[in-house]
């Protein structure tokens, strides 16, 4: 096949076949640098079209090739030009390892291989690395998860509804076309054209776009497997962390759907990778970004020029260090993170210890409902009994997610969402000096629900001096998950202890910390029906309501725990 001139001396060869041991052929495009090879090789394996090559967030492969790399972009099994059937994650470990072994024999490769990519392309790296293929020397998994159940699909028992349903519909479209299912394809395309409206369909497991029996079952399987089990661990590396023996550069975004999964993967490999060498060479960049794109504009906020970090240049130095022995990454911090508020990059030697926390206790006179209420956060626990705060959760009218009914993420203003009485609002006094929070906040909430099935959400908000209420992070826990090892009963006091997603921010002098407590964040998470009907099967015929009571007293001191870095300004 003739080589295509891409400028700068780079040549492209399209449609190169790699035949796997089971007879399936995978197809890749190859970019060759100017001059004589062989060269170190960069590999991306993805399901979205090899000509796209994740250029929505990365430089085009031509750019990497122009810096002296042989770049291979491969369609995974069952996608694009590759053969076989696509079932997300299931085949990527072995397929990736065999591809790397094949690349080691490619005439353009010197046998030193690195992988890069974000989201699904990040998962393909982790899965391939766990197979320990010869030649793989480093990876760069970005905005992904090592543990699919906890980090990708479910958050402490609640389905990440908007992202799961949206992504499932997105990728099923190609499967419908490959299978020649015209009617199924039309339904999927119609759903995709208004994707943010699809979460209101109930029961969501019966969404007409996904139930055609001719379609692959993976989306239906994700909705059905609601507990951690072998279904998930067989498709990820959560039980095989010790098989990873290569350095990894992790990138996450504070407002990305997979922020917890990405940072948990970094920490897991820091502690449990299969060699001391691998453990000591895990790096993390935690930026202020959503899943796509990465830059200074996030939601309705502008975060300044520092947010436009040149991740391509960092990637190039990462690969030069490991694949060309330039040693140019040796002075990089193990953790580089973006502090919201001052909107600047900071460094850390390790992830914060969860035990080093600032406790802010919930207080009120029994009327913490909405931002008009009397809820407050104080550094001292209640000394006496205080009236309970009460609100009603109604599955038919859920509290919306931080980005509203469209579920758009970012540091958006929460003032409208705080006006409802189905949200409890607790606000601290202004800090006297700059106060930095970095890590994973958590909450201990003493509460009573009238229903035997319930959720609680905890959302952190920064209240600026001029009164703007900016979303920072959120967490949710479902009673059936949190209390799965003990009996959960309605009308009984239970201690709800759960984490929020990781974050980093600084309250400037005069700013206040705000905590919102509710029982839903729809459609970010699926809604709890408050009945014994499983959420994916529930609709308005079996939705219930629950009266929630939050206690804060000397005996039951509900508290927010903030991972403090440096001195407290309270």
């Amino acid at each position: 096949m003739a080589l295509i001139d891409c400028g700068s001396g780079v040549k492209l060869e399209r449609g190169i076949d790699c035949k796997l041991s089971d007879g399936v052929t995978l197809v890749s495009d190859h970019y060759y640098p100017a001059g004589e090879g062989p060269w170190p090789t960069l590999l991306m394996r993805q399901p979205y079209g090899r000509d796209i090559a994740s250029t929505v967030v990365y430089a085009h492969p031509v750019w990497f090739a122009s810096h002296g790399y042989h770049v291979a972009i491969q369609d995974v099994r069952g996608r694009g030009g590759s053969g076989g059937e696509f079932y997300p994650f299931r085949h990527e470990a072995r397929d990736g390892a065999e591809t790397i072994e094949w690349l080691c024999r490619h005439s353009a490769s010197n046998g030193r291989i690195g992988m890069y990519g974000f989201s699904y392309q990040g998962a393909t790296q982790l899965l391939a690395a766990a197979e320990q293929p010869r030649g793989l020397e480093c990876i760069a998994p970005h905005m992904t998860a090592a543990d699919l159940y906890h980090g990708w699909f479910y958050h402490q028992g609640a389905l990440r509804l908007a992202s799961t349903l949206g992504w499932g519909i997105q990728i099923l479209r190609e499967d419908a076309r490959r299978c020649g299912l015209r009617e199924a394809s039309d339904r999927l395309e119609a759903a995709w054209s208004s994707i943010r409206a699809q979460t209101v369909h109930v029961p969501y497991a019966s969404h007409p776009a996904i139930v055609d029996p001719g379609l692959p079952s993976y989306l239906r399987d994700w909705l059905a497997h609601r507990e951690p089990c072998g279904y998930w661990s067989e498709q990820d590396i959560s039980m095989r962390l010790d098989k990873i023996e290569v350095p990894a550069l992790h990138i996450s975004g504070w407002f990305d759907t997979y922020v917890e999964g990405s940072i948990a993967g970094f920490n897991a490999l820091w502690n449990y990778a299969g060699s001391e060498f691998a453990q000591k060479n895990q790096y993390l960049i935690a930026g202020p970004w959503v899943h796509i794109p990465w830059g200074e504009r996030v939601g309705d906020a502008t975060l300044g020029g520092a947010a436009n970090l040149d991740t391509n240049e960092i990637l190039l130095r990462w690969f030069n260090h490991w694949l060309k022995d330039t040693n140019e990454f040796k002075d990089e911090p193990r953790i580089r993170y973006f502090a919201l508020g001052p909107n600047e990059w900071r460094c850390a030697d390790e992830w914060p210890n969860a035990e080093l926390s600032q406790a802010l206790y919930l207080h009120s006179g029994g009327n913490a409902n909405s931002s008009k209420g009397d809820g407050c956060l104080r550094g001292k626990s209640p000394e006496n009994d205080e009236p309970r705060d009460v609100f009603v959760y109604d599955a038919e009218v859920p509290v919306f997610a931080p980005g509203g009914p469209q579920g758009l993420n970012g540091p958006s203003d929460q003032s409208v969402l705080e006006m409802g009485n189905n949200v409890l609002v607790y606000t601290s006094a202004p800090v006297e000096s700059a106060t930095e929070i970095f890590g994973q906040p958590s909450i201990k909430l003493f509460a009573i629900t009238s229903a035997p099935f319930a959720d609680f959400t905890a959302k952190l908000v920064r209240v600026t001096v001029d009164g703007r209420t900016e979303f920072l992070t959120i967490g949710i826990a479902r009673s059936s998950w949190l209390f799965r090892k003990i009996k959960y009963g309605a009308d009984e006091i239970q201690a709800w202890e759960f984490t929020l997603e990781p974050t980093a921010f600084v309250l400037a002098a005069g700013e206040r910390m705000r905590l919102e407590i509710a029982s839903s964040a729809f459609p970010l998470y699926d809604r709890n029906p408050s009945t014994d009907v499983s959420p994916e099967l529930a609709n308005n015929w079996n939705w219930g309501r629950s009266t929630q009571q939050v206690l804060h007293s000397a005996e039951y001191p509900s508290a927010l725990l903030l991972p403090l870095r440096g001195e407290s300004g309270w």
Side-chain angles (χ1 to χ4, degrees):
M1 182 177 295
L3 297 180
I4 299 168
D5 186 355
C6 297
S8 302
V10 176
K11 305 293 185 182
L12 164 63
E13 186 176 14
R14 292 197 180 109
I16 306 303
D17 290 346
C18 168
K19 190 169 184 179
L20 303 178
S21 59
D22 64 357
V24 169
T25 297
L26 305 183
V27 177
S28 53
D29 290 345
H30 291 239
Y31 298 82
Y32 306 114
E36 295 296 324
W39 306 274
T41 296
L42 303 184
L43 168 65
M44 177 189 293
R45 307 189 62 253
Q46 52 72 55
Y48 302 114
R50 65 186 186 273
D51 52 338
I52 298 175
S54 294
T55 48
V56 67
V57 293
Y58 299 117
H60 194 276
V62 169
W63 185 83
F64 289 102
S66 70
H67 285 82
Y69 287 94
H70 163 225
V71 185
I73 311 295
Q74 185 181 70
D75 291 327
V76 300
R77 178 185 295 250
R79 308 295 283 185
S82 293
E85 295 183 3
F86 178 64
Y87 192 107
F89 310 105
R90 181 168 286 175
H91 303 287
E92 306 304 358
R94 192 62 247 159
D95 287 2
E98 290 195 21
T99 295
I100 291 166
E101 292 166 358
W102 169 74
L103 282 174
C104 284
R105 301 189 297 271
H106 193 285
S107 60
S109 177
N110 66 5
R112 305 185 71 177
I113 297 172
M115 295 184 74
Y116 76 109
F118 84 118
S119 196
Y120 192 86
Q121 297 86 281
T124 64
Q125 298 175 60
L126 295 169
L127 288 162
E131 298 292 304
Q132 301 179 347
R134 177 180 61 86
L136 183 63
E137 297 192 15
C138 64
I139 57 177
H142 302 159
M143 293 190 177
T144 189
D147 184 323
L148 291 176
Y149 177 83
H150 295 97
W152 192 295
F153 292 99
Y154 288 85
H155 190 185
Q156 296 171 150
L159 177 73
R160 291 180 168 91
L161 176 62
S163 60
T164 300
L165 187 62
W167 183 53
I169 288 172
Q170 176 190 0
I171 57 178
L172 277 170
R173 294 179 304 146
E174 181 173 332
D175 293 308
R177 293 192 294 269
R178 289 176 75 104
C179 295
L181 302 173
R182 171 65 68 175
E183 292 183 2
S185 177
D186 290 345
R187 286 191 293 268
L188 286 163
E189 292 297 339
W192 181 246
S193 68
S194 57
I195 191 61
R196 297 193 182 279
Q198 304 311 310
T199 55
V200 299
H201 187 280
V202 290
Y204 60 81
S206 300
H207 192 295
I210 70 174
V211 295
D212 190 302
L215 290 172
S217 65
Y218 50 79
L219 176 51
R220 301 191 296 274
D221 294 342
W222 300 336
L223 305 182
H225 290 86
R226 303 192 66 88
E227 300 291 334
C229 61
Y231 170 80
W232 299 108
S233 60
E234 289 168 2
Q235 299 180 80
D236 63 28
I237 65 161
S238 59
M239 305 301 290
R240 297 184 292 150
L241 295 166
D242 62 337
K243 300 299 183 182
I244 304 285
E245 295 186 346
V246 294
L249 172 62
H250 306 256
I251 290 182
S252 64
W254 293 137
F255 300 109
D256 176 39
T257 302
Y258 311 127
V259 58
E260 185 167 11
S262 185
I263 291 177
F266 160 75
N267 280 319
L269 291 175
W270 175 300
N271 290 296
Y272 303 112
S275 68
E276 184 179 1
F277 168 76
Q279 292 173 14
K280 288 184 175 181
N281 286 289
Q282 301 297 313
Y283 290 79
L284 172 66
I285 297 174
W289 308 306
V290 293
H291 200 57
I292 303 171
W294 308 347
E296 65 177 343
R297 294 288 303 192
V298 184
D300 60 359
T302 300
L303 300 179
N308 291 322
L309 188 69
D310 191 343
T311 51
N312 290 313
E313 185 271 338
I314 291 172
L315 261 181
L316 184 63
R317 290 194 292 109
W318 171 257
F319 289 126
N320 287 345
H321 179 95
W322 295 111
L323 302 180
K324 294 184 177 181
D325 301 323
T326 63
N327 211 30
E328 60 193 273
F329 215 79
K330 65 181 179 63
D331 295 326
E332 284 292 313
R334 294 291 297 279
I335 299 174
R336 183 191 306 197
Y337 67 94
F338 192 90
L340 298 162
N343 295 337
E344 63 187 22
W345 291 97
R346 299 187 175 187
C347 301
D349 295 326
E350 60 184 4
W351 187 253
N353 187 333
E355 296 178 358
L356 302 177
S357 296
Q358 162 86 50
L360 294 179
Y361 294 90
L362 282 60
H363 294 265
S364 84
N367 185 29
N369 306 75
S370 85
S371 56
K372 303 184 294 290
D374 62 0
C376 61
L377 296 171
R378 298 175 187 159
K380 292 185 178 181
S381 62
E383 296 178 354
N384 304 300
D385 287 345
E386 295 181 354
R388 301 172 181 178
D389 291 310
V390 183
F391 69 95
V392 175
Y393 164 68
D394 184 352
E396 195 163 5
V397 189
V399 172
F400 288 125
Q406 296 302 308
L408 300 173
N409 213 339
S412 54
D413 193 301
Q414 301 299 290
S415 56
V416 173
L417 294 175
E418 293 174 348
M419 294 173 63
N421 279 348
N422 51 359
V423 179
L424 303 181
V425 178
Y426 303 89
T427 308
S428 76
V431 294
E432 297 179 356
S433 58
T435 302
E436 181 175 359
I437 306 300
F438 169 49
Q440 191 156 19
S442 63
I443 191 165
K444 185 172 185 178
L445 197 70
F446 292 96
I448 301 171
T449 66
S450 66
F453 301 90
D455 292 351
F456 275 103
T457 63
K459 183 205 303 182
L460 291 190
V461 172
R462 180 170 70 101
V463 184
T464 64
V465 173
D466 61 4
R468 177 177 166 85
T469 56
E470 291 188 352
F471 168 70
L472 295 166
T473 187
I474 193 170
I476 189 172
R478 182 155 290 171
S479 59
S480 56
W481 182 87
L482 189 63
F483 302 103
R484 60 196 182 280
K485 295 183 180 179
I486 64 173
K487 182 180 179 181
Y488 181 83
D491 300 318
E492 298 178 3
I493 299 174
Q494 301 281 359
W496 291 67
E497 297 184 67
F498 59 94
T499 57
L500 285 66
E501 294 190 328
T503 187
F505 60 91
V506 177
L507 296 181
E511 295 186 334
R512 295 173 290 162
M513 184 82 267
R514 178 167 288 175
L515 170 68
E516 296 177 19
I517 300 295
S519 283
S520 60
F522 180 80
L524 178 63
Y525 308 117
D526 65 347
R527 50 189 141 187
N528 195 321
S530 301
T531 66
D532 61 358
V533 177
S534 193
E536 79 279 9
L537 305 176
N539 59 23
N540 57 335
W541 289 91
N542 39 53
W543 283 334
R545 299 184 180 94
S546 182
T547 299
Q548 326 291 54
Q549 302 179 54
V550 173
L551 289 69
H552 36 83
S553 64
E555 185 177 3
Y556 299 109
S558 295
L560 168 66
L561 301 174
L562 296 172
L564 188 67
R565 191 175 195 202
E567 297 297 322
S568 171
W570 283 290

